[in-house]
Amino acid sequence: MSKLERLLNLTAALLDTPRALTVDEIHERIPGYPEKEESFRRAFERDKDDLREMGVPIDIVAVPGTNPPQQGYRIEPERYYLTDPGLAPDELAALRLA
């Protein structure tokens, strides 16, 4: 699996989760990461840095219901997706043709 595919999978997982995912959940759910814990952690840190460099707003928040309390990661869709530019129907049609 390529790094780009792993970054896309990570972005999709963090966008499509009802609550923040722990590091262990990310390791279990996202294919393409190394099996060894230390190697996974280094790759995950690099991936987070790369996504943030591209402007992806990854949040670190407390995961509810964990004892001891754990931190998790997620991407708030409202902060990630572009807002509607308010194009008129003919402008949308022209954009689709382009």
Side-chain angles (χ1 to χ4, degrees):
M1 171 178 292
S2 72
K3 180 172 181 165
L4 176 59
E5 188 175 356
R6 189 176 70 226
L7 289 173
L8 289 171
N9 287 335
L10 178 59
T11 302
L14 294 178
L15 272 168
D16 191 39
T17 183
R19 65 162 179 79
L21 297 176
T22 66
V23 171
D24 292 334
E25 291 171 325
I26 290 169
H27 194 192
E28 291 172 9
R29 294 180 187 189
I30 310 298
Y33 279 112
E35 289 297 319
K36 292 185 178 179
E37 185 67 25
E38 187 176 310
S39 299
F40 159 73
R41 295 253 181 196
R42 283 194 308 269
F44 179 57
E45 290 300 320
R46 283 191 305 267
D47 288 352
K48 286 190 310 182
D49 290 342
D50 290 345
L51 289 173
R52 285 180 174 138
E53 250 183 57
M54 290 184 255
V56 177
I58 299 174
D59 296 323
I60 302 172
V61 297
V63 178
T66 56
N67 189 12
Q70 290 187 315
Q71 298 293 315
Y73 300 89
R74 70 171 303 170
I75 299 170
E76 291 290 338
E78 300 80 29
R79 294 183 52 218
Y80 179 75
Y81 293 119
L82 296 175
T83 58
D84 182 3
L87 297 176
D90 59 329
E91 293 170 321
L92 284 172
L95 187 60
R96 285 188 185 114
L97 280 174

